[in-house]
Amino acid sequence: GEFGLAEGEAVRAELALAEERGEKAVVVLHHPMEPPGSGWEGHCLNGDGAAALEALLAESPAVEAVVGGHLHAPLEERVGDGDNAMMLVAPSSCHQYLKHAQGIKLDTESMPGWREIVLGADGSWSTAVYRLNADQVAEGMLANANEDALKAFLGRAQ
């Protein structure tokens, strides 16, 4: 994932505004900041972009959370210099991967899901991960999923 100078300046300006107002901030990205294990590096922010975002988090007491997806697995970890923010990664609404695995491995036990984040007017927040059950999946578009095709696709991603 890329996080360049333009994105960094936009985030810096938003965080400065939040600090000035005494507000808290949530940074939302497509790619998560850090890989959950070996083999995931290409699915997260990388290089200078990751370092730039880490620096922004360290500078701003306003940042409460950094939200991302792309991993097809839920994840909650402290990030930033001093671990001042929580990285929240949403599960996928289709197939899931095993987090903290060596390389990308299909999680055949976890159902599709989503992460809900509730922001309170007082600056508080809470989060929870919800999963579909097997009956809901069977009724939906995944009922026609071809497991061999999915495994073939995952073979290309490894």
Side-chain angles (χ1 to χ4, degrees):
E2 296 298 322
F3 185 86
L5 181 61
E7 292 86 0
E9 290 305 313
V11 170
R12 179 176 276 114
E14 290 288 337
L15 293 179
L17 187 59
E19 289 174 41
E20 185 178 303
R21 294 178 177 169
E23 298 173 341
K24 295 182 179 183
V26 175
V27 177
V28 181
L29 309 164
H30 176 72
H31 290 88
M33 285 182 57
E34 299 175 355
S38 177
W40 289 88
E41 292 79 7
H43 300 277
C44 301
L45 290 182
N46 47 46
D48 294 339
L53 186 54
E54 285 276 344
L56 286 171
L57 295 179
E59 291 173 12
S60 178
V63 179
E64 287 285 313
V66 179
V67 180
H70 198 72
L71 292 183
H72 290 245
L75 191 64
E76 294 182 23
E77 292 183 358
R78 289 264 168 214
V79 293
D81 187 27
D83 291 339
N84 60 311
M86 181 68 79
M87 178 176 66
L88 304 169
V89 179
S92 173
S93 57
C94 62
H95 55 273
Q96 308 300 298
Y97 295 144
L98 292 170
K99 60 186 173 192
H100 302 296
Q102 292 294 86
I104 298 172
K105 307 276 189 244
L106 184 63
D107 180 350
T108 59
E109 302 292 318
S110 297
M111 292 285 119
W114 67 96
R115 177 179 291 282
E116 178 182 72
I117 301 170
V118 178
L119 305 175
D122 63 353
S124 64
W125 61 275
S126 62
T127 184
V129 171
Y130 297 95
R131 301 279 188 177
L132 297 174
N133 63 44
D135 291 336
Q136 291 169 315
V137 172
E139 291 172 11
M141 67 180 204
L142 293 180
N144 297 321
N146 180 322
E147 189 172 330
D148 291 333
L150 180 58
K151 287 180 181 176
F153 169 76
L154 290 173
R156 288 187 306 218
Q158 293 182 7

